[in-house]
Structures are given as structure tokens and as C-alpha cells.
Amino acid sequence: MGVDFNKFAEMVRKTAGEQEPSNRRHIAIIGPSGSGKTTWASKAEDCLVILAEAQAYGRIQDSAPKARVVTVQNAEELRQCFDWLNTKVFPGKGWKPKTIVLDSTTEMCRMIADRVGPADEGDWTFKHWKRYDDACMAMVRKFRDLPCQLIATFLDETSGSDDGMTYRR
């Protein structure tokens, strides 16, 4: 049994305009690179895509030319984007997104890791992992609590280990 993406897309379109917190829908799309997560998510009505993967910009413009796109290259730019939405866009007059797409949340968490982790990647301690986890959760919660719908894309990744196990990240 597969997912009927047309029905799912219609449900997203119908609920995107509902601004009451109890009626907002938040969606996570998880899939491998190239599976269409960005293309599908960027088609939401009155959509603002916060893009951490610059190579996807052209695909968004081709598949959803009405989508507005903001690119971020590091954790500080991501914070500035949230502050702009929280202090200028939603309290102000004019256009407001009905849906925000975080693309990809996986890459945004990598940006946060660059900010909170040690200078040498091999020196991660429990303290670093705790700071990283707290920062990633705080970022998702901040965007989740804006008065709109949220679609977050995640890259489905797996990795192997020396003990022969496969881990999903």
C-alpha cells in the first residue's frame, strides 16, 4: 500500500491557510537524495522555502515558480531568518507565508554542528552532543511555533560501523 501523494497534497493545500495553532499541520518528509522532497514541499500554497542546499534552488524555481526562497549558508543566517520572520513578517502588514519549508533540516543541523561542535571533529564529547541536540531541537521548535504550517525535509541517511551494524541518521 503506497501513499496517495495527490490526496496528501490536497490535504496540505486545504489546511495551509488555517492559522489557528490547533489546526496547523506540521509535516516531516524523509527520503533519499533526489526523491522529490523539495519539489513536492515547495508546491505548498503561499510557500516560503528556507533553503540550506543551494543546489536545489533551480529545481524549486522550475517546479514551483511562485515559491519564495531564502537561502542560508550557516547557523547564524538561519537564526537571522527566524528573527526576520518572527519580528518583521508575521507581526507586519503584507504577505505572510501560509507554509514554511525547511529544506533540508538535515543540512541545517549540520550547520548547527559546525557552530556548537569542537574545532576538531574527532573531539566531540557528551557536552558537545548535548549542546548540539538542544540547539537542533530549539531551531525546529522556533519554526514550528510560528503562526503557519511547517514542512521539514530530512535526508534519509544510513552509515555502517566497524561492528557491521547499519545505523540510520
Side-chain angles (χ1 to χ4, degrees):
M1 179 174 130
V3 174
D4 183 340
F5 286 104
N6 290 327
K7 281 186 176 180
F8 188 61
E10 184 61 26
M11 185 264 315
V12 171
R13 279 192 287 280
K14 285 180 180 178
T15 61
E18 297 175 1
Q19 297 299 307
E20 291 299 315
S22 61
N23 294 330
R24 288 191 317 246
R25 308 255 181 192
H26 300 311
I27 301 167
I29 302 174
I30 304 166
S33 182
S35 62
K37 300 178 300 294
T38 301
T39 300
W40 186 85
S42 64
K43 292 181 181 184
E45 184 180 0
D46 291 329
C47 174
L48 173 66
V49 179
I50 302 172
L51 187 62
E53 297 178 331
Q55 72 274 15
Y57 186 82
R59 288 192 309 268
I60 294 169
Q61 293 303 305
D62 290 343
S63 65
K66 293 182 180 179
R68 298 178 187 211
V69 181
V70 174
T71 58
V72 294
Q73 296 180 1
N74 56 52
E76 177 59 21
E77 289 182 4
L78 183 60
R79 185 197 60 76
Q80 290 172 357
C81 183
F82 170 78
D83 289 347
W84 167 72
L85 286 165
N86 196 42
T87 62
K88 303 278 192 238
V89 174
F90 285 109
K93 296 182 178 177
W95 180 83
K96 293 174 182 19
K98 291 182 181 177
T99 303
I100 291 177
V101 176
L102 298 180
D103 185 51
S104 91
T105 307
T106 306
E107 188 60 34
M108 292 174 187
C109 287
R110 287 183 184 134
M111 293 173 180
I112 291 170
D114 290 343
R115 181 175 56 87
V116 303
D120 179 8
E121 288 184 25
D123 291 339
W124 277 73
T125 65
F126 179 78
K127 179 177 148 184
H128 292 109
W129 285 110
K130 174 79 169 109
R131 201 175 335 155
Y132 168 74
D133 184 55
D134 289 347
C136 289
M137 292 302 291
M139 183 253 318
V140 171
R141 285 183 184 120
K142 283 180 181 180
F143 283 100
R144 174 201 67 193
D145 292 342
L146 289 170
C148 64
Q149 177 169 278
L150 177 68
I151 301 175
T153 69
F154 295 86
L155 185 59
D156 185 14
E157 297 178 318
T158 57
S159 63
S161 69
D162 293 339
D163 61 6
M165 298 292 291
T166 301
Y167 296 94
R168 177 174 239 130
R169 294 185 279 181

